[in-house]
Amino acid sequence: MDHDMFKKLLYRVGPRTEKKDMLWRKALELWLRLAITLCYMAKGDSYKVLLYGFRVAHNTKIMMLPEICAATIEEYHEEVLSCPTTQEQWKELAALYSKRWNFYLTVGALDGKHVAIKCPPQGGSNY
């Protein structure tokens, strides 16, 4: 991610995740919280690997990552995650997948993460 895109994301997500300093500790800067979240999402590193890279405690990351992800989804869902509302829009989306990827009768896909699926009873080799 280039610097300008990072600043734009920081500007849009920042107000939703702003933290205040407390008497006993200072809040982590927003840019650092966003950078840790992006590294985690991009590389899939464990919390322990991120500890050495950013020197932020494990328990802090456990609370911070879902919060930043939720704020990002909340900010961008209207633009990026629009869902078709009419039957024609669903058909157009399926036609796009057919044309571009040769996946017929498909309207979406997941990529980049392993999704564990439990085989149903008598599922056989389909799973």
Side-chain angles (χ1 to χ4, degrees), residues 21-47:
D21 291 339
M22 301 295 195
L23 291 175
W24 58 89
R25 67 163 172 79
K26 288 187 142 203
L28 287 175
E29 289 100 0
L30 183 57
W31 66 266
L32 179 62
R33 297 171 68 223
L34 183 60
I36 291 170
T37 303
L38 291 174
C39 273
Y40 177 77
M41 297 300 286
K43 296 179 181 179
D45 288 340
S46 68
Y47 288 140

Side-chain angles (χ1 to χ4, degrees), residues 30-76:
L30 183 57
W31 66 266
L32 179 62
R33 297 171 68 223
L34 183 60
I36 291 170
T37 303
L38 291 174
C39 273
Y40 177 77
M41 297 300 286
K43 296 179 181 179
D45 288 340
S46 68
Y47 288 140
K48 190 172 276 192
V49 171
L50 291 172
L51 170 70
Y52 298 118
F54 291 98
R55 298 180 187 248
V56 174
H58 173 75
N59 58 337
T60 303
K61 286 189 287 283
I62 288 174
M63 301 297 286
M64 173 183 62
L65 291 171
E67 180 184 328
I68 298 288
C69 289
T72 305
I73 291 169
E74 203 173 300
E75 178 65 31
Y76 283 96

Side-chain angles (χ1 to χ4, degrees), residues 59-102:
N59 58 337
T60 303
K61 286 189 287 283
I62 288 174
M63 301 297 286
M64 173 183 62
L65 291 171
E67 180 184 328
I68 298 288
C69 289
T72 305
I73 291 169
E74 203 173 300
E75 178 65 31
Y76 283 96
H77 82 276
E78 292 290 328
E79 293 172 39
V80 180
L81 299 174
S82 61
C83 185
T85 55
T86 65
Q87 191 172 11
E88 291 78 29
Q89 290 174 338
W90 283 107
K91 287 180 180 179
E92 287 174 20
L93 188 57
L96 179 66
Y97 268 89
S98 298
K99 180 180 175 187
R100 187 177 289 170
W101 304 109
N102 291 326

